Amino acid sequence: MADLSVRIGSLTLRNPVMPASGCFAVEYAEALDLNRLGALVVKSVSPDARAGNPTPRVAETASGMLNSIGIPSKGLDAYRRDVLPAYTRFNTPVVVSVSADTAESFGEACETLSLPEVAAIEANISCPNLEADGMAFAMQAESTYKAVSAIRRRTSHPLWVKLTPNAGQIALIARAAEDAGADAIVMGNTVLGMAIDVRTRKPKLGNVMGGLSGPAIKPLAVRLVHQCHRAVRIPIIGCGGIETADDAVEFMLAGATAVQVGTASFRDPAVMGRIVDGLSAYCDANDIERIATLTGAVALDAQLSDRWLRFAQQSG
């Protein structure tokens, strides 16, 4: 049987499969053995209480879904008291996802959540930055560096930084996160989209626009993972439209060390277990002793690879 373990910074995970933040709840334990996963990523929490965005918050689309949840939160105290204990009872590393409005509040929140029972912190810097008129921190290299630096000054915990696919020059942004002290990059999040009900002529989301996820964005996500892999030395956790073991393998070949599963879990809460089983079967069928050897192993023609590298460097 193949070794499915992967290493992300100082953490060794039993396998590369974990949920994406916001697409998972402890109730999934009724359909899935959570002790089989590589990690448990909990829904993002913000330092201050938030009501979230107006309803409707979710709309189905072809090959995916739109959501505009707005990261509702009851704050850090309620999170530590009421949410976190339900996840830490499992024999699986817990990753807390943090969202904040300013670089300083990011640092303070991550310091508060640097708890012994927390294996790593995922900083969701693809959320709006009030210091830049609401533009996400991860849209620019400078604001990425500022946010990650503010967090790193306040915590020595393993730090994963979640980027956005809506940004240009993703390689520059990934390098800024690495230079500021990130231990890993989560690439990425949802793609900004919109849908309209042609009968009512109203947007299908209460917040008008929202994030597109699911199979529709997978080719984009794979490309971004590959670009980041060429730009940084730290591990990358791929996310975007993963539904099967083959999808997970594709992300790993592109450069991911691990993967997060989001939208697919809404339709099938047990899907991550099947992906773990599928990865084991894939390795056995292809005589792969260690799944970690798949990371970045995409076969590229040497001349084409050099041309692609020059293009990626020029475009950021």
Side-chain angles (χ1 to χ4, degrees):
M1 180 176 292
D3 178 4
L4 296 186
S5 66
V6 296
R7 191 166 180 84
I8 301 177
S10 61
L11 292 179
T12 298
L13 308 184
R14 63 172 63 95
N15 63 64
V17 181
M18 66 188 83
S21 174
C23 303
F24 175 76
V26 74
E27 288 79 9
Y28 278 43
E30 298 178 10
L32 171 67
D33 181 0
L34 303 190
N35 290 315
R36 296 192 62 212
L37 299 180
L40 303 178
V41 185
V42 189
K43 180 174 173 57
S44 292
V45 61
S46 63
D48 302 317
R50 292 177 177 172
N53 287 335
T55 59
R57 294 176 172 180
V58 176
E60 188 174 0
T61 66
S63 299
M65 61 177 279
L66 283 167
N67 89 84
S68 181
I69 307 299
I71 312 182
S73 171
K74 294 183 179 180
L76 298 181
D77 291 340
Y79 183 85
R80 292 179 60 179
R81 182 184 66 246
D82 302 329
V83 177
L84 202 52
Y87 294 90
T88 56
R89 62 188 173 92
F90 296 98
N91 186 29
T92 302
V94 172
V95 180
V96 297
S97 177
V98 178
S99 169
D101 297 328
T102 66
E104 187 60 29
S105 61
F106 248 123
E108 293 173 357
C110 290
E111 181 179 28
T112 299
L113 292 174
S114 297
L115 305 167
E117 62 269 33
V118 171
I121 295 170
E122 180 182 279
N124 181 10
I125 66 168
S126 55
C127 56
N129 173 11
L130 293 186
E131 297 169 322
D133 296 323
M135 182 174 64
F137 291 92
M139 289 295 288
Q140 295 181 335
E142 182 180 357
S143 51
T144 293
Y145 186 89
K146 180 179 179 180
V148 178
S149 295
I151 296 168
R152 184 42 84 203
R153 285 195 297 268
R154 305 291 287 264
T155 182
S156 60
H157 250 55
L159 176 60
W160 303 357
V161 176
K162 188 169 187 174
L163 303 184
T164 173
N166 298 304
Q169 298 188 313
I170 195 65
L172 295 179
I173 293 168
R175 283 196 292 267
E178 179 182 39
D179 292 344
D183 295 299
I185 287 169
V186 180
M187 188 72 254
N189 206 329
T190 56
V191 178
L192 190 62
M194 179 180 175
I196 300 171
D197 187 320
V198 297
R199 285 164 290 279
T200 65
R201 301 188 182 184
K202 294 181 179 180
K204 290 186 177 181
L205 294 175
N207 202 48
V208 182
M209 291 178 285
L212 176 65
S213 62
I217 71 167
K218 196 189 84 172
L220 169 64
V222 171
R223 184 264 294 176
L224 291 168
V225 165
H226 187 59
Q227 283 185 278
C228 289
H229 176 67
R230 285 179 167 272
V232 301
R233 297 176 299 277
I234 56 177
I236 298 162
I237 301 158
C239 183
I242 296 170
E243 295 188 309
T244 67
D246 281 359
D247 292 336
V249 169
E250 186 176 357
F251 270 84
M252 295 188 75
L253 293 173
T257 296
V259 297
Q260 294 184 349
V261 180
T263 302
S265 290
F266 290 133
R267 183 172 60 254
D268 180 4
V271 69
M272 285 184 284
R274 279 191 277 279
I275 291 174
V276 173
D277 291 338
L279 290 176
S280 182
Y282 175 89
C283 289
D284 290 344
N286 291 277
D287 296 323
I288 297 170
E289 294 183 1
R290 295 178 55 249
I291 198 169
T293 61
L294 292 177
T295 296
V298 60
L300 295 175
D301 175 85
Q303 184 177 3
L304 179 62
S305 180
D306 289 342
R307 189 186 312 145
W308 160 246
L309 179 59
R310 289 194 298 272
F311 169 77
Q313 290 172 337
Q314 293 169 358
S315 63

